[in-house]
Amino acid sequence: MKPVLELKNLQTQFETRSGIVRAVDGVSYHVNHGETLGVVGESGCGKSVTSLSVLRLIPNPPGKIVGGSVMFEGEDLTQVPDHLIRNIRGKEISMIFQEPMTSLNPMMTVGNQISEPLIRHLGLSKKDALDRAREMLDLVQIPDSKSWLSGYPHQMSGGMRQRVMIAMALACDPKVLIADEPTTALDVTIQGQILILIKELQEKLGTAVIMITHDLGVVAEVADRVVVMYAGRKVEEADIHTLFERPRHPYTVRLMTAIPRLDRIAAANGAPERLTEIPGTVPLLSELRSGCAFFDRCAFASEQCGKEAPVLEEKSRGHWAACWNEAPFQ
Amino acid sequence: MTVSSNSDAPLLQVNELKTHFPIRKGVFSRIGGYVQAVDGVSLTINQGETLGLVGESGSGKSTFGKSVMRLVEPTSGEVRIDGVDITKSSRSEMFNHRRKVQMVFQDPYSSLNPRIPVGRIVAEAIRLHGIASGREAEDMVVDIFRRVGLQPSQTRNYANEFSGGQRQRIGIARALALSPKLIIADEPVSALDVSVQAQVINLFSDLQKDLGLSYLFIAHDLAVVAQISHRIAVMYLGRIVEVAERHELFKNPRHPYTKALVAAIPTPNPKIKPSADRALKGDIPSPSNPPAGCRFHTRCPLAEPRCKQEVPQLKISSSGHAVACHLA
Ligand SMILES: Nc1ncnc2c1ncn2[C@@H]1O[C@H](COP(=O)(O)OP(=O)(O)OP(=O)(O)O)[C@@H](O)[C@H]1O
Ligand SMILES: Nc1ncnc2c1ncn2[C@@H]1O[C@H](COP(=O)(O)OP(=O)(O)OP(=O)(O)O)[C@@H](O)[C@H]1O
Ligand code: SF4
Ligand SMILES: [Mg+2]
Ligand SMILES: [Mg+2]
């Protein structure tokens, strides 16, 4: 299958007082039609900057895409002129951000915000756009959609605003939807509603979804394939079942046992098993390093790991990992 | 009514606690109503026990924790520590109380003074309470730092030089400095990375084993709460809807809200696909205008006409499992 969107060796850097931050340090991934790709990793590992780079939403200065490509419908988005990327944003590729208020305009009614891209990208009349906006609000289950068209975002609850963002993101039937932690700020009972909604819309429209999250539970639920990032790089990639059954990168392996597991706690009779700790913290992305970024936290490290950065290898069909060791775990 | 497990007199006993905040309106700041943040909560915590408190955003968890510390003034009800009702305590009695009960916050950074070395932050708490001074206080600080997994040399560093997980250790060190009996931990790992969360959760468990501490562990993440708590209380819009032993709560949740909450947690196992009907419909009502009758009735899949009128009381079974639902 031909990917809808493909990132090849993407590199994005920030110039800061403490040096150059290699936020995205040669990341490649792709997503197919109708597929959900999960992207997981610790805070600061470059998940958001990668996806913002796709739509060239990186503030410059201090940020800059310094290498690689983003292929979409035969064009490299890192190279196309500004007016073209503006036409792609929100129409062909759209985003849901973690904090809805940063991308909703507090001065504009909900109806006008959803209609605006419809008028701009699809050339709908004001009236048709508002009709479509109302349909979208119904689709994301905002009760009383007609009166909310003239309401303002601050009058809504967090979950409702998040759904308005989804409505906006999907209004132009995008080919790719990038959802950056769309449910992190929400309560679990609301999170459930939103995830189901995205899944249903995807099935209906065939949208390719990139779901960025740090929650392995959310990934297990929605993703078909997963990319694990660590310190600006992809360290592992596999289909969802393989990743959970046989993780190959030591970071992924540790991550799986570091989280409290409600299913296991509920099934066990005594006290819950002690969590596995990953010692230390993530390295600074402004520091130059020669070896593997996980080296000083890794229980399986060998001498080579401290000297040479591991290359991404296909360990089995479709299962990639960047680790020098033939992971003796599991 | 009090919900407790069967052992000696509880360390903390809260009876019918209410904390309401006035909503002020207009130029003359007239009081236009009240946010019933905590509205009649009764709970107990025993020596050496962890009580987990879960609930949606805005359900009143933090307000409950702060009311027990009297960082906010309760509107009515009792908070008994070792039998003494501190809602009626004088300033000097409160000083004593604060030694017994300490709080650890969600955001360790904003609660640490950035201009003082972290060792001195802890030492000052010790001196202020007259526990020790001079050299002796410094030795205590080093001991406490070791206990929470920090190096003695790190006492000289400033808060901004630490990672999130380390800052949370400092927050815990400061709380431990007064040798409290109870620590109220309000979302202590929510701001941390998953890989660092495990370090801090394990630290809480180890300290409890070594020092016999009690915890009120507040979090919205049920899996985290399950990992550390002996008993779990579920809060909804200012009220407790269910309290039970950890296993009992997961094996046999009885309140419709608890059931939905347990079902909504995504399992990190791709073989388990959630049922499509697990999500609750509707949004969380406002605590300044809570629904009449059962506060959950607007979202409850089982609600009957009487749920809209009669407030369900928290009823406790012989096994210590308490539920507030007409149908449970
Ligand atoms: N405007 C900026 N200036 C300097 N550095 C930046 C800027 N934006 C991001 N960074 C750095 O880039 C790195 C990657 O950040 P990014 O936001 O992509 O992380 P993330 O994986 O999305 O984390 P989170 O899970 O916390 O959202 C971080 O180290 C961050 O400090
Ligand atoms: N000082 C205050 N003045 C007025 N209202 C307040 C005050 N503190 C809290 N509230 C309100 O009381 C209710 C309960 O808030 P609280 O912070 O206790 O909830 P919570 O359960 O801790 O939520 P979260 O999970 O988001 O931390 C909310 O509606 C909140 O807006
Ligand atoms: S009392 Fe009624 S509305 Fe409330 S939880 Fe029980 S069944 Fe649902
Ligand atoms: Mg991010
Ligand atoms: Mg809170």
Side-chain angles (χ1 to χ4, degrees):
Chain A
M1 193 189 287
K2 215 167 132 273
V4 187
L5 181 73
E6 183 164 27
L7 285 60
K8 286 186 191 152
N9 196 26
L10 189 70
Q11 287 161 276
T12 304
Q13 302 184 343
F14 293 95
E15 255 179 71
T16 69
R17 276 190 306 160
S18 45
I20 290 184
V21 174
R22 290 170 180 74
V24 182
D25 198 13
V27 170
S28 305
Y29 62 64
H30 69 273
V31 60
N32 297 321
H33 181 79
E35 182 192 42
T36 299
L37 176 75
V39 179
V40 296
E42 309 224 350
S43 184
C45 73
K47 305 182 294 294
S48 297
V49 172
T50 307
S51 63
L52 291 169
S53 302
V54 167
L55 286 172
R56 299 226 308 253
L57 292 169
I58 301 292
N60 177 5
K64 198 167 185 234
I65 299 173
V66 298
S69 61
V70 176
M71 299 308 293
F72 176 74
E73 306 208 313
E75 302 224 53
D76 180 357
L77 300 186
T78 66
Q79 303 299 331
V80 301
D82 283 353
H83 72 271
L84 266 182
I85 198 90
R86 274 197 295 273
N87 282 341
I88 287 171
R89 279 182 209 145
K91 178 166 182 270
E92 311 277 353
I93 304 175
S94 59
M95 259 184 108
I96 304 171
F97 298 90
Q98 180 163 356
E99 177 35 67
M101 277 321 263
T102 54
S103 53
L104 291 178
N105 182 342
M107 311 295 286
M108 214 187 209
T109 62
V110 168
N112 284 343
Q113 299 203 39
I114 305 176
S115 336
E116 202 231 26
L118 294 165
I119 297 169
R120 187 157 45 107
H121 291 310
L122 304 183
L124 296 191
S125 71
K126 172 108 192 183
K127 188 187 164 296
D128 288 349
L130 276 175
D131 284 346
R132 169 98 173 130
R134 187 176 160 199
E135 271 174 41
M136 292 310 295
L137 288 181
D138 287 336
L139 199 65
V140 297
Q141 292 164 26
I142 300 273
D144 209 5
S145 55
K146 185 151 184 244
S147 48
W148 272 116
L149 286 177
S150 50
Y152 289 87
H154 68 86
Q155 298 167 315
M156 302 183 121
S157 74
M160 287 170 89
R161 282 184 214 141
Q162 202 65 286
R163 275 175 276 164
V164 168
M165 282 242 301
I166 296 177
M168 272 170 72
L170 293 170
C172 296
D173 292 349
K175 301 199 173 76
V176 181
L177 173 69
I178 303 176
D180 191 353
E181 309 263 11
T183 58
T184 305
L186 304 175
D187 290 312
V188 276
T189 53
I190 307 274
Q191 167 177 296
Q193 292 177 27
I194 305 263
L195 295 180
I196 290 167
L197 195 69
I198 293 179
K199 199 87 203 164
E200 281 173 1
L201 294 171
Q202 176 178 42
E203 274 159 20
K204 211 179 294 169
L205 306 171
T207 319
V209 176
I210 298 178
M211 176 70 73
I212 300 171
T213 175
H214 64 268
D215 187 333
L216 287 177
V218 170
V219 167
E221 180 173 327
V222 301
D224 301 304
R225 202 155 46 80
V226 186
V227 161
V228 183
M229 286 183 67
Y230 191 81
R233 296 202 178 144
K234 176 168 87 177
V235 294
E236 182 155 11
E237 177 184 330
D239 75 81
I240 185 76
H241 294 284
T242 310
L243 190 88
F244 278 82
E245 273 158 32
R246 190 164 162 58
R248 296 296 291 261
H249 195 280
Y251 171 67
T252 319
V253 171
R254 278 288 190 257
L255 202 57
M256 302 269 178
T257 49
I259 49 170
R261 293 278 303 259
L262 203 52
D263 50 339
R264 294 199 187 137
I265 296 170
N269 271 319
E273 250 175 73
R274 192 180 168 82
L275 300 173
T276 319
E277 294 180 21
I278 306 180
T281 50
V282 283
L284 291 174
L285 296 179
S286 52
E287 274 165 11
L288 268 186
R289 51 175 185 273
S290 41
C292 172
F294 195 53
F295 175 65
D296 43 5
R297 303 179 77 187
C298 184
F300 308 98
S302 59
E303 208 179 314
Q304 184 184 20
C305 308
K307 292 184 184 137
E308 266 178 276
V311 280
L312 205 61
E313 272 178 42
E314 192 165 21
K315 305 284 183 184
S316 61
R317 212 179 126 77
H319 189 173
W320 297 76
C323 173
W324 287 124
N325 288 313
E326 268 316 307
F329 15 85
Q330 285 272 298
Chain B
M1 187 196 342
T2 304
V3 180
S4 87
S5 62
N6 32 2
S7 100
D8 305 331
L11 172 65
L12 174 75
Q13 178 157 19
V14 177
N15 293 322
E16 283 300 318
L17 187 76
K18 292 189 182 177
T19 305
H20 294 180
F21 297 107
I23 307 168
R24 296 188 186 277
K25 284 208 178 105
V27 270
F28 300 109
S29 291
R30 275 180 304 110
I31 294 177
Y34 289 89
V35 180
Q36 302 169 12
V38 174
D39 198 40
V41 168
S42 301
L43 285 172
T44 62
I45 302 181
N46 295 314
Q47 185 75 47
E49 184 187 45
T50 302
L51 177 72
L53 183 59
V54 295
E56 275 165 330
S57 182
S59 57
K61 306 180 295 297
S62 297
T63 304
F64 177 76
K66 288 178 190 158
S67 304
V68 171
M69 289 289 290
R70 262 180 84 187
L71 292 176
V72 298
E73 277 306 317
T75 309
S76 65
E78 291 182 338
V79 177
R80 292 187 181 276
I81 308 280
D82 282 336
V84 180
D85 181 7
I86 60 108
T87 60
K88 298 174 183 70
S89 295
S90 65
R91 260 173 173 278
S92 61
E93 286 168 325
M94 272 313 291
F95 195 72
N96 222 334
H97 167 62
R98 292 251 156 82
R99 266 192 72 169
K100 290 187 184 163
V101 187
Q102 282 288 299
M103 199 151 176
V104 173
F105 297 92
Q106 168 170 5
D107 179 0
Y109 194 57
S110 61
S111 63
L112 295 172
N113 187 333
R115 277 179 285 275
I116 316 179
V118 292
R120 241 178 69 202
I121 295 180
V122 178
E124 247 150 50
I126 294 174
R127 280 191 209 107
L128 188 70
H129 281 264
I131 296 166
S133 60
R135 195 55 219 255
E136 202 189 338
E138 274 166 38
D139 288 346
M140 276 183 76
V141 172
V142 168
D143 270 356
I144 294 165
F145 264 57
R146 284 219 180 86
R147 195 174 266 297
V148 299
L150 294 167
Q151 303 296 324
S153 64
Q154 290 177 299
T155 53
R156 289 191 292 272
N157 293 37
Y158 292 84
N160 67 346
E161 296 167 300
F162 291 92
S163 70
Q166 287 174 321
R167 283 176 198 158
Q168 200 51 287
R169 286 171 198 270
I170 296 163
I172 295 169
R174 180 177 53 183
L176 285 181
L178 306 181
S179 314
K181 292 182 163 180
L182 172 67
I183 290 184
I184 298 175
D186 190 359
E187 307 269 6
V189 300
S190 310
L192 304 177
D193 261 328
V194 243
S195 78
V196 181
Q197 264 189 19
Q199 298 172 14
V200 175
I201 293 173
N202 287 345
L203 176 63
F204 271 105
S205 305
D206 295 345
L207 290 172
Q208 181 163 59
K209 258 181 237 133
D210 295 350
L211 307 172
L213 290 171
S214 303
Y215 298 129
L216 173 65
F217 196 96
I218 301 172
H220 62 270
D221 184 336
L222 200 51
V224 167
V225 167
Q227 178 73 29
I228 192 154
S229 306
H230 301 104
R231 279 186 306 136
I232 298 173
V234 183
M235 204 165 174
Y236 188 82
L237 275 185
R239 297 222 174 110
I240 300 295
V241 296
E242 185 156 9
V243 190
E245 300 269 333
R246 167 179 45 212
H247 281 107
E248 175 67 11
L249 192 85
F250 295 121
K251 286 209 176 108
N252 188 21
R254 290 175 50 202
H255 195 281
Y257 176 66
T258 314
K259 287 183 185 169
L261 200 62
V262 172
I265 315 280
T267 318
N269 181 348
K271 286 193 188 126
I272 302 172
K273 289 289 172 200
S275 63
D277 58 9
R278 61 156 194 193
L280 285 174
K281 294 272 177 326
D283 288 298
I284 305 165
S286 156
S288 59
N289 185 19
C294 173
R295 291 186 171 188
F296 186 57
H297 84 251
T298 54
R299 298 171 77 200
C300 182
L302 305 178
E304 295 183 341
R306 70 168 159 165
C307 302
K308 298 192 174 104
Q309 283 137 26
E310 290 167 46
V311 178
Q313 297 301 314
L314 195 64
K315 287 184 292 264
I316 181 166
S317 76
S318 55
S319 64
H321 191 150
V323 197
C325 170
H326 292 307
L327 303 176

